[in-house]
Amino acid sequence: METKILGRTRGRFATAAAYIKAGEVVAFHTETVYGLGANAFDDEAVLKVFALKGRPADNPLIVHVHRDYDITQLIDGEPHYAAALRAAFLPGPLTMVYPSTGKVSKYVSCGLNTLAIRVPSSPVAQAFLRASDLPVAAPSANLSKHVSPVTAQHVYDDFQGKIPLILDGGACTGGIESTVLDCTGKVPQILREGLVTREMISAVAGDCGVYKRQTGEKPKSPGMAYKHYAPRCPTALANSAEEALRIYRNEEMGCGKPLILCESALIPALEGAEVLDLGATGEEMARRLYALLRRAEDSATLLIGIEPKARGGVMAGVCNRFKKAFGEQT
Ligand code: TXA
Ligand code: MG
């Protein structure tokens, strides 16, 4: 199968919607990362997404809808705070987990009685979802465990010849996946941190918890238990510029080609080393992280990461992805 990357071309949303209605899988731009979408009502199409990614069968998918889609048919009620959060943050990088009515394919939620819903703000995603007028189940458009895609080319690199179409919307401005928020309890609880932060949610909902799995407990959001976001080159995590330089020199002595990934502030302390600049603010680091990980895997024999020091806001999500990329279970 030929995989077409469609930028601004006439009729591309109608073409993508026709594929979705015919049970095919198409990739599309969102403001966070690219998604790999299928009709959420269609068992076969949803199973195709799992097969294409090599995704474990117990890791549920998020359903994407356009801003005017009537979600009351999909969810079994919502708490007051959830309506306030929708008004404040949607469309945008916030996924809300609700009790499900069970109308979509049972494969979407992998046996859970909840459904994760997201209304992306990307104009490309909105136009595509409106043309489809269906809930579109979509994980990030990367092979399972690989780094999430933030350009159409990244999607192409993982799925060339396997899907008919990628709706190109340019580089994703958010850069890390949406915040996943459990809205089934009295207080909202973050299952996956992202660009809509705990502080932002608390300001609207009055309170917001962050789910931490107890050892031995089955995770509430199964995806969080898996190794994720890993570049395909060896990695090492350093605590300081000095430590990073030691590892760097060692790798060079063995004729390797090391790279260091760190925040802008540390670059002056790394003279003589080849460095990938993660940026200075949380938003910048979120936007650059995945593209830099993908770039590193194409050229480095060892990628040395120094975890950014800043905390608060978007940094919770950035550090979570950063540590996972470097092999730490969080
Ligand atoms: O930004 C995003 O969310 C991107 C774009 C494409 O929208 N999508 C994305 O999907 O990151 P994925 O499949 O890579 O991650 C979905 C996460 C997983 O951690 C999964 O376990 C969790 O959402 N999830 C999905 N449905 C859930 C549910 N019913 N209850 C709890 N967690 C759920
Ligand atoms: Mg993913």
Side-chain angles (χ1 to χ4, degrees):
M1 174 189 301
E2 190 200 349
T3 302
K4 286 210 176 95
I5 300 181
L6 289 189
R8 288 175 183 278
T9 46
R10 190 188 291 272
R12 64 173 169 156
F13 298 118
T15 307
Y19 277 125
I20 288 291
K21 287 177 184 152
E24 291 295 335
V25 172
V26 303
F28 60 101
H29 174 270
T30 86
E31 70 279 17
T32 57
V33 302
Y34 277 76
L36 190 66
N39 176 358
F41 291 129
D42 182 338
D43 285 349
E44 301 269 311
V46 173
L47 286 174
K48 236 186 243 180
V49 170
F50 280 87
L52 280 165
K53 275 184 67 100
R55 186 179 178 96
D58 64 351
N59 190 6
L61 306 181
I62 296 170
V63 152
H64 297 64
V65 293
H66 65 75
R67 60 192 308 164
D68 300 318
Y69 193 83
D70 178 16
I71 61 166
T72 57
Q73 55 167 319
L74 304 179
I75 66 170
D76 195 4
E78 71 173 341
H80 281 303
Y81 66 76
L85 290 170
R86 278 199 290 120
F89 299 118
L90 300 191
L94 175 67
T95 294
M96 302 172 71
V97 175
Y98 292 104
S100 175
T101 53
K103 290 249 164 66
V104 299
S105 161
K106 61 178 185 287
Y107 298 112
V108 169
S109 290
C110 305
L112 299 174
N113 54 11
T114 53
L115 182 65
I117 298 190
R118 167 155 147 69
V119 187
S121 62
S122 148
V124 168
Q126 279 294 319
F128 160 59
L129 293 166
R130 203 172 284 279
S132 305
D133 202 27
L134 284 167
V136 171
S140 50
N142 52 281
L143 291 168
S144 191
K145 300 191 182 67
H146 196 204
V147 180
S148 296
V150 290
T151 64
Q153 184 63 44
H154 293 157
V155 181
Y156 190 81
D157 291 344
D158 280 12
F159 295 107
Q160 174 187 3
K162 308 248 168 62
I163 56 174
L165 188 64
I166 302 168
L167 287 174
D168 191 354
C172 302
T173 51
I176 59 171
E177 301 84 352
S178 63
T179 306
V180 177
L181 188 70
D182 182 352
C183 297
T184 62
K186 282 212 177 75
V187 171
Q189 193 182 36
I190 293 180
L191 302 179
R192 177 176 73 183
E193 287 173 293
L195 295 167
V196 177
T197 66
R198 180 185 199 174
E199 294 89 327
M200 290 159 74
I201 294 167
S202 280
V204 173
D207 199 359
C208 176
V210 179
Y211 175 70
K212 289 261 177 308
R213 181 156 70 116
Q214 307 299 314
T215 21
E217 189 195 350
K218 196 168 173 247
K220 239 188 193 177
S221 190
M224 298 311 284
Y226 297 115
K227 184 170 159 55
H228 257 125
Y229 323 116
R232 288 177 175 147
C233 60
T235 57
L237 205 50
N239 284 316
S240 63
E242 296 70 44
E243 191 188 356
L245 276 178
R246 264 198 309 278
I247 304 172
Y248 188 94
R249 303 279 175 241
N250 209 33
E251 179 70 8
E252 268 188 334
M253 271 189 321
C255 291
K257 195 182 169 306
L259 273 175
I260 298 176
L261 176 64
C262 67
E263 59 193 319
S264 309
L266 287 185
I267 294 177
L270 292 165
E271 234 196 272
E274 211 176 313
V275 179
L276 298 174
D277 180 2
L278 190 54
T281 65
E283 283 73 16
E284 204 167 48
M285 295 191 223
R287 191 169 65 242
R288 291 185 189 176
L289 178 62
Y290 290 153
L292 292 177
L293 291 173
R294 288 223 180 205
R295 198 201 297 174
E297 71 181 7
D298 291 337
S299 61
T301 56
L302 179 67
L303 177 66
I304 305 155
I306 312 174
E307 192 189 331
K309 297 284 176 291
R311 289 291 175 273
V314 176
M315 288 311 295
V318 170
C319 290
N320 165 274
R321 306 312 194 280
F322 191 95
K323 285 194 275 197
K324 285 196 171 189
F326 286 87
E328 259 188 35
Q329 289 300 321
T330 54

